[in-house]
Amino acid sequence: MNIDFSKGDGLVPVVIQDAQTLEVLMLGYMNEEAWKKTEAEKKVTFFSRSKNRLWTKGEESGNFLHVVSSHLDCDQDTILLLVNPAGPTCHTGSRSCFKTDFNQNFLFQLERIIQHRIDFPSDDSYVNRLRGRGINKIAQKVGEEAVETVIAALRETDMDFINESSDLLFHLLVLLKEKGMGLETIAKNLESRHQ
């Protein structure tokens, strides 16, 4: 990447985003040396303005930010890094330095949890037990949850409807994974239809 370090007295802003959930985790700054170290080690290193030195995120806590991909903005003076965080990003112990009411991309995180349960099955995992019954049972479960969602929408409380909708989305995610797909597949399809 041809980064323009000249505009900000040698520093460029770096937006850190979770590669899976797309949640913005933090903002930092890099000089050219920090960028080269980040590229070489595939762990995010910033230039700390308060410490006046290079600072690898996680050097004390172990909560490193492992680089998945890097992107440069149109002016070549801001970097977007998609990362896999190894623990909380914020020094307060929060997953993000930005306080929000909830993780707006939790469905992507749930998808990752389901994939982890598929990759590392255990006897006490509902996902593992459901998958053990085969794709027909998973599809049937999606159908049952869809019917229960419709009934809740028409005859039950809002909380019942929320719970049934949650069950439907969860089981649909399991079915998507069983078919070797994910939310990205559906999102791309919906996006193409929207155009």
Side-chain angles (χ1 to χ4, degrees):
M1 290 194 321
N2 188 21
I3 303 166
D4 186 353
F5 288 100
S6 67
K7 292 180 185 173
D9 293 327
L11 295 178
V12 296
V14 182
V15 177
I16 304 297
Q17 191 174 22
D18 187 303
Q20 179 67 34
T21 68
L22 304 180
E23 183 178 18
V24 175
L25 301 176
M26 69 176 294
L27 172 74
Y29 293 87
M30 286 185 185
N31 60 11
E32 192 168 358
E33 185 181 4
W35 171 248
K36 287 180 180 177
K37 186 172 184 195
T38 297
E39 271 195 312
E41 296 179 0
K42 300 298 182 203
K43 290 180 187 171
V44 176
T45 295
F46 296 108
F47 179 81
S48 171
R49 295 172 299 165
S50 59
K51 299 174 186 174
N52 198 32
R53 67 170 178 87
L54 294 186
W55 166 65
T56 300
K57 175 69 179 94
E59 65 187 23
E60 293 177 14
S61 66
N63 297 332
F64 295 103
L65 299 172
H66 301 280
V67 177
V68 173
S69 64
S70 55
H71 310 272
L72 198 55
D73 78 336
C74 57
D75 293 324
Q76 299 180 309
D77 61 359
T78 302
I79 301 170
L80 171 65
L81 291 180
L82 298 180
V83 303
N84 285 328
T89 299
C90 186
H91 71 282
T92 65
S94 296
R95 68 181 181 274
S96 171
C97 294
F98 298 97
K99 305 299 179 220
T100 57
D101 292 338
F102 70 104
N103 180 354
Q104 297 168 359
N105 296 301
F106 179 74
L107 287 178
F108 290 108
Q109 186 174 348
L110 180 59
E111 181 180 44
R112 184 166 46 191
I113 292 167
I114 291 168
Q115 187 63 56
H116 186 269
R117 304 245 166 100
I118 291 169
D119 294 342
F120 303 98
S122 67
D123 291 339
D124 61 342
S125 164
Y126 174 73
V127 170
N128 187 48
R129 290 193 306 274
L130 184 59
R131 290 185 71 239
R133 297 172 74 186
I135 193 166
N136 289 346
K137 181 59 181 173
I138 299 170
Q140 178 185 345
K141 192 69 177 159
V142 170
E144 290 170 7
E145 297 301 342
V147 169
E148 290 173 7
T149 299
V150 170
I151 292 169
L154 299 175
R155 297 188 184 156
E156 298 177 10
T157 68
D158 286 349
M159 196 66 226
D160 292 328
F161 175 66
I162 290 168
N163 283 327
E164 295 301 341
S165 297
S166 299
D167 289 346
L168 174 59
L169 282 172
F170 174 81
H171 287 91
L172 181 59
L173 283 173
V174 174
L175 182 59
L176 283 168
K177 285 297 174 187
E178 191 68 19
K179 295 288 291 178
M181 300 176 200
L183 286 173
E184 182 179 345
T185 307
I186 302 305
K188 286 179 177 178
N189 185 50
L190 288 170
E191 182 180 37
S192 72
R193 290 182 186 185
H194 180 69
Q195 299 172 8

